mmCIF file with all atom_site columns, all heavy atoms in Angstrom:
data_model
loop_
_atom_site.group_PDB
_atom_site.id
_atom_site.type_symbol
_atom_site.label_atom_id
_atom_site.label_alt_id
_atom_site.label_comp_id
_atom_site.label_asym_id
_atom_site.label_entity_id
_atom_site.label_seq_id
_atom_site.pdbx_PDB_ins_code
_atom_site.Cartn_x
_atom_site.Cartn_y
_atom_site.Cartn_z
_atom_site.occupancy
_atom_site.B_iso_or_equiv
_atom_site.pdbx_formal_charge
_atom_site.auth_seq_id
_atom_site.auth_comp_id
_atom_site.auth_asym_id
_atom_site.auth_atom_id
_atom_site.pdbx_PDB_model_num
ATOM 1  N N   . MET A 1 1   ? -12.371 -1.306 -16.762 1.00 0.00 ? 1   MET A N   1
ATOM 2  C CA  . MET A 1 1   ? -11.765 -1.260 -15.417 1.00 0.00 ? 1   MET A CA  1
ATOM 3  C C   . MET A 1 1   ? -10.258 -1.003 -15.530 1.00 0.00 ? 1   MET A C   1
ATOM 4  O O   . MET A 1 1   ? -9.617  -1.543 -16.424 1.00 0.00 ? 1   MET A O   1
ATOM 5  C CB  . MET A 1 1   ? -12.013 -2.589 -14.704 1.00 0.00 ? 1   MET A CB  1
ATOM 6  C CG  . MET A 1 1   ? -11.380 -2.646 -13.330 1.00 0.00 ? 1   MET A CG  1
ATOM 7  S SD  . MET A 1 1   ? -11.590 -4.250 -12.565 1.00 0.00 ? 1   MET A SD  1
ATOM 8  C CE  . MET A 1 1   ? -13.321 -4.231 -12.162 1.00 0.00 ? 1   MET A CE  1
ATOM 9  N N   . ILE A 1 2   ? -9.748  -0.173 -14.624 1.00 0.00 ? 2   ILE A N   1
ATOM 10 C CA  . ILE A 1 2   ? -8.310  0.107  -14.621 1.00 0.00 ? 2   ILE A CA  1
ATOM 11 C C   . ILE A 1 2   ? -7.744  -0.236 -13.238 1.00 0.00 ? 2   ILE A C   1
ATOM 12 O O   . ILE A 1 2   ? -8.343  0.122  -12.213 1.00 0.00 ? 2   ILE A O   1
ATOM 13 C CB  . ILE A 1 2   ? -8.035  1.578  -15.017 1.00 0.00 ? 2   ILE A CB  1
ATOM 14 C CG1 . ILE A 1 2   ? -6.558  1.924  -14.876 1.00 0.00 ? 2   ILE A CG1 1
ATOM 15 C CG2 . ILE A 1 2   ? -8.839  2.583  -14.230 1.00 0.00 ? 2   ILE A CG2 1
ATOM 16 C CD1 . ILE A 1 2   ? -6.190  3.260  -15.494 1.00 0.00 ? 2   ILE A CD1 1
ATOM 17 N N   . LEU A 1 74  ? -12.215 -9.029 -8.197  1.00 0.00 ? 74  LEU A N   1
ATOM 18 C CA  . LEU A 1 74  ? -12.704 -7.692 -8.570  1.00 0.00 ? 74  LEU A CA  1
ATOM 19 C C   . LEU A 1 74  ? -12.570 -7.486 -10.075 1.00 0.00 ? 74  LEU A C   1
ATOM 20 O O   . LEU A 1 74  ? -13.479 -6.966 -10.726 1.00 0.00 ? 74  LEU A O   1
ATOM 21 C CB  . LEU A 1 74  ? -11.927 -6.611 -7.815  1.00 0.00 ? 74  LEU A CB  1
ATOM 22 C CG  . LEU A 1 74  ? -12.255 -6.462 -6.324  1.00 0.00 ? 74  LEU A CG  1
ATOM 23 C CD1 . LEU A 1 74  ? -11.286 -5.494 -5.658  1.00 0.00 ? 74  LEU A CD1 1
ATOM 24 C CD2 . LEU A 1 74  ? -13.690 -5.981 -6.113  1.00 0.00 ? 74  LEU A CD2 1
ATOM 25 N N   . THR A 1 102 ? -15.364 -1.853 -9.174  1.00 0.00 ? 102 THR A N   1
ATOM 26 C CA  . THR A 1 102 ? -15.599 -0.492 -9.679  1.00 0.00 ? 102 THR A CA  1
ATOM 27 C C   . THR A 1 102 ? -14.717 -0.277 -10.913 1.00 0.00 ? 102 THR A C   1
ATOM 28 O O   . THR A 1 102 ? -13.883 -1.126 -11.244 1.00 0.00 ? 102 THR A O   1
ATOM 29 C CB  . THR A 1 102 ? -15.217 0.551  -8.610  1.00 0.00 ? 102 THR A CB  1
ATOM 30 O OG1 . THR A 1 102 ? -13.911 0.230  -8.129  1.00 0.00 ? 102 THR A OG1 1
ATOM 31 C CG2 . THR A 1 102 ? -16.193 0.603  -7.458  1.00 0.00 ? 102 THR A CG2 1
ATOM 32 N N   . ASN A 1 103 ? -14.862 0.883  -11.513 1.00 0.00 ? 103 ASN A N   1
ATOM 33 C CA  . ASN A 1 103 ? -14.077 1.177  -12.720 1.00 0.00 ? 103 ASN A CA  1
ATOM 34 C C   . ASN A 1 103 ? -12.596 1.333  -12.433 1.00 0.00 ? 103 ASN A C   1
ATOM 35 O O   . ASN A 1 103 ? -11.760 1.086  -13.293 1.00 0.00 ? 103 ASN A O   1
ATOM 36 C CB  . ASN A 1 103 ? -14.580 2.469  -13.369 1.00 0.00 ? 103 ASN A CB  1
ATOM 37 C CG  . ASN A 1 103 ? -15.880 2.244  -14.093 1.00 0.00 ? 103 ASN A CG  1
ATOM 38 O OD1 . ASN A 1 103 ? -16.165 1.120  -14.498 1.00 0.00 ? 103 ASN A OD1 1
ATOM 39 N ND2 . ASN A 1 103 ? -16.667 3.286  -14.243 1.00 0.00 ? 103 ASN A ND2 1
ATOM 40 N N   . ILE A 1 105 ? -9.525  0.409  -9.631  1.00 0.00 ? 105 ILE A N   1
ATOM 41 C CA  . ILE A 1 105 ? -9.090  -0.313 -8.426  1.00 0.00 ? 105 ILE A CA  1
ATOM 42 C C   . ILE A 1 105 ? -7.672  0.147  -8.114  1.00 0.00 ? 105 ILE A C   1
ATOM 43 O O   . ILE A 1 105 ? -6.789  0.075  -8.975  1.00 0.00 ? 105 ILE A O   1
ATOM 44 C CB  . ILE A 1 105 ? -9.108  -1.840 -8.663  1.00 0.00 ? 105 ILE A CB  1
ATOM 45 C CG1 . ILE A 1 105 ? -10.539 -2.299 -8.942  1.00 0.00 ? 105 ILE A CG1 1
ATOM 46 C CG2 . ILE A 1 105 ? -8.541  -2.591 -7.465  1.00 0.00 ? 105 ILE A CG2 1
ATOM 47 C CD1 . ILE A 1 105 ? -10.623 -3.744 -9.389  1.00 0.00 ? 105 ILE A CD1 1
ATOM 48 N N   . GLN A 1 205 ? -12.731 3.095  -22.235 1.00 0.00 ? 205 GLN A N   1
ATOM 49 C CA  . GLN A 1 205 ? -13.411 1.837  -21.901 1.00 0.00 ? 205 GLN A CA  1
ATOM 50 C C   . GLN A 1 205 ? -14.923 1.959  -22.074 1.00 0.00 ? 205 GLN A C   1
ATOM 51 O O   . GLN A 1 205 ? -15.588 1.018  -22.487 1.00 0.00 ? 205 GLN A O   1
ATOM 52 C CB  . GLN A 1 205 ? -13.073 1.419  -20.466 1.00 0.00 ? 205 GLN A CB  1
ATOM 53 C CG  . GLN A 1 205 ? -11.630 0.936  -20.337 1.00 0.00 ? 205 GLN A CG  1
ATOM 54 C CD  . GLN A 1 205 ? -11.276 0.468  -18.941 1.00 0.00 ? 205 GLN A CD  1
ATOM 55 O OE1 . GLN A 1 205 ? -12.052 0.621  -18.014 1.00 0.00 ? 205 GLN A OE1 1
ATOM 56 N NE2 . GLN A 1 205 ? -10.094 -0.079 -18.794 1.00 0.00 ? 205 GLN A NE2 1
#
Side-chain angles (χ1 to χ4, degrees):
M1 178 184 288
I2 174 169
L74 287 172
T102 50
N103 284 335
I105 297 171
Q205 288 182 353

